[in-house]
Amino acid sequence: MISASKPIEGSSEPRVPLEQAAILITGAAGGIGRACVIACVKQGWHVFAAMRNKQEGQERLREALQSSGLNNVAQSADLLTLLEYDVSDSKQVKAAFAQIKKSPYELVGLVNNAGLMKDSLLGMTSLDDFDMQMLVNVRASFLHLQLASRLMTKNKQGSIVNVSSVIGLDGAPGQVAYSASKAALLGMTKSAAKELAPLNIRVNAVAPGFINTQLTHDYSAAKRASVINNIAVGREGQPEDVAATIMHLLSAQSAYITGQTIRIDGMMSI
Amino acid sequence: MSTIEQLNAAFVSALDIDEKQISDELAYNSIEEWDSTAHMILIAELEDQFDIMLDTDDIIDMSSVAKAKEILQKYDISF
Ligand SMILES: NC(=O)c1ccc[n+]([C@@H]2O[C@H](COP(=O)([O-])OP(=O)(O)OC[C@H]3O[C@@H](n4cnc5c(N)ncnc54)[C@H](OP(=O)(O)O)[C@@H]3O)[C@@H](O)[C@H]2O)c1
């Protein structure tokens, strides 16, 4: 075990002025990703919105920004930078970080949100599907965590949020591979939080429950009803419910919270 | 600033040591100030000073001041 040491004095004060502060969000064109982009822009942070397909993603993001009354954001280089890369390609990820480093902004936040879910029973899960979920959900998040924390070390300010899942905490039939990948994120969160705390970089995870996005779009009406039946608050979650907690974790309001996993699930039982 | 001055500045600032303590022989974990946390701060300082992004293998290999100079030469920085 390598121990971390030397805490930074007065560590809860943001060091980077708001106008220079930037947040990187992966999977930014997805449901939860778009809600995070909107919330971060409203907060006044510059957003690096990472997506696999810029043409498609940009359009989805523009529509979402417009329906939130943020009409000019998509065109404003001061507010938003679109990054196009596949999170599973480490070369592309490193190139994206080089672009962030060269920009006039300082990275103060990362939302490791890009994710892949492939439902299948244990006996019917191919190793390729297992590897793919580990690659996108775990390995890519690890690389982002590693590179982001290096940029954040310079300013000794940062907050990283890993988007896990209640499935990573509780497990579910048909989701052995997905739950393994999301549980791995929780271990990563706790260890990184301990290691990076002396550098004033916080690492937390959120564990969303059943959220209305593309990821759950294919659920049949019957399956949807049965899931909602097991949610105490009686409804599915919205991407904004998740973004609100992520915002809290990114902001200085949560300066004394690190290494935690917060469920955002309306008290769901699986 | 010359490259050697930039290198020394990075070491002084990251490890919080006196410039006089810096020599080619100074090695990682040989002094209390150059521990694992300080190593990551040093990497951030070097990346900032020289405007580069180091490969993870180079971060692992950077075990002394002499080794740091050798590695930085791969990034077209000469001393
Ligand atoms: N919805 C839920 O109920 C729920 C519950 C718990 C946890 N989560 C987690 O929440 C996160 C966001 O999911 P979501 O619900 O917002 O679903 P979503 O709309 O499908 O978003 C997932 C995003 O990840 C991106 N992505 C996947 N593989 C990628 C790759 N290799 N490179 C770059 N981007 C990639 C997708 O890009 P494309 O747009 O190009 O496909 C998509 O934008 C995921 O990590 C998911 O596991 C969701």
Side-chain angles (χ1 to χ4, degrees):
Chain A
M1 190 180 74
I2 301 171
S3 68
S5 58
K6 285 204 272 190
I8 310 296
E9 279 169 46
S11 53
S12 56
E13 287 299 312
R15 284 143 209 273
V16 177
L18 183 63
E19 56 279 12
Q20 279 170 27
I23 311 287
L24 168 62
I25 301 167
T26 66
I32 293 172
R34 288 195 302 268
C36 288
V37 173
I38 290 166
C40 286
V41 167
K42 283 186 177 163
Q43 180 77 23
W45 286 314
H46 183 87
V47 175
F48 287 100
M51 54 194 66
R52 232 187 323 203
N53 182 331
K54 203 162 159 178
Q55 225 178 353
E56 247 181 53
Q58 188 168 22
E59 193 47 36
R60 273 190 267 159
L61 200 53
R62 196 181 53 77
E63 278 169 20
L65 285 161
Q66 272 181 354
S67 53
S68 297
L70 300 165
N71 293 330
N72 301 322
V73 171
Q75 281 79 41
S76 167
D78 288 343
L79 303 172
L80 190 68
T81 304
L82 301 185
L83 300 173
E84 185 179 39
Y85 64 91
D86 188 317
V87 295
S88 63
D89 182 332
S90 56
K91 262 210 181 111
Q92 290 183 27
V93 176
K94 283 179 193 160
F97 273 90
Q99 188 180 335
I100 294 172
K101 189 172 187 299
K102 283 201 164 29
S103 78
Y105 303 102
E106 300 290 337
L107 194 71
V108 299
L110 162 69
V111 185
N112 256 328
N113 167 68
L116 193 66
M117 180 178 85
K118 282 181 177 277
D119 283 2
S120 60
L121 292 173
L122 177 60
M124 295 168 74
T125 303
S126 69
L127 283 178
D128 280 351
D129 276 355
F130 178 87
D131 287 345
M132 201 56 210
Q133 289 173 91
M134 290 309 248
L135 184 61
V136 173
N137 298 348
V138 185
R139 193 176 187 265
S141 298
F142 176 83
L143 182 60
H144 279 78
L145 176 65
Q146 190 178 53
L147 295 174
S149 65
R150 260 164 64 191
L151 292 188
M152 291 166 178
T153 295
K154 190 179 74 165
N155 296 310
K156 298 188 183 70
Q157 179 188 333
S159 173
I160 295 167
V161 182
N162 293 320
V163 181
S164 177
S165 167
V166 289
I167 307 300
L169 288 163
D170 297 349
Q175 298 194 313
V176 176
Y178 179 71
S179 69
S181 72
K182 290 299 188 181
L185 273 179
L186 303 179
M188 200 190 292
T189 300
K190 287 181 204 160
S191 294
K194 287 180 179 171
E195 191 173 314
L196 299 174
L199 297 167
N200 193 31
I201 300 168
R202 297 180 296 109
V203 188
N204 290 288
V206 291
F210 187 60
I211 313 297
N212 180 20
T213 70
Q214 198 59 37
L215 204 83
T216 53
H217 194 69
D218 293 340
Y219 280 38
S220 65
K223 190 168 175 187
R224 195 169 282 274
S226 119
V227 174
I228 292 172
N229 206 24
N230 288 316
I231 299 174
V233 302
R235 66 165 176 93
E236 63 189 352
Q238 297 303 326
E240 293 72 25
D241 293 320
V242 181
T245 303
I246 292 176
M247 286 304 293
H248 178 65
L249 292 172
L250 287 175
S251 78
Q253 300 266 311
S254 61
Y256 205 51
I257 300 175
T258 192
Q260 302 306 307
T261 300
I262 302 181
R263 296 179 80 110
I264 311 161
D265 66 347
M267 206 171 177
M268 176 178 180
S269 25
I270 300 165
Chain B
M1 237 200 288
S2 71
T3 51
I4 194 75
E5 283 168 341
Q6 282 178 283
L7 182 84
N8 287 352
F11 271 90
V12 166
S13 154
L15 309 189
D16 198 13
I17 56 174
D18 200 287
E19 195 166 349
K20 287 195 283 270
Q21 286 176 264
I22 304 170
S23 69
D24 277 357
E25 292 70 40
L26 183 65
Y28 174 57
N29 267 339
S30 68
I31 53 170
E32 200 187 315
E33 291 87 346
W34 194 351
D35 64 4
S36 55
T37 304
H39 192 65
M40 292 319 296
I41 300 175
L42 173 65
I43 297 304
E45 288 283 350
L46 290 172
E47 288 188 328
D48 201 39
Q49 281 283 352
F50 296 109
D51 200 17
I52 50 169
M53 269 184 79
L54 290 160
D55 284 338
T56 305
D57 286 345
D58 290 332
I59 296 173
I60 299 164
D61 286 347
M62 205 173 278
S63 52
S64 67
V65 173
K67 196 77 191 167
K69 287 181 184 165
E70 187 189 315
I71 288 167
L72 289 169
Q73 288 182 30
K74 289 204 292 187
Y75 296 81
D76 293 332
I77 297 151
S78 43
F79 295 95

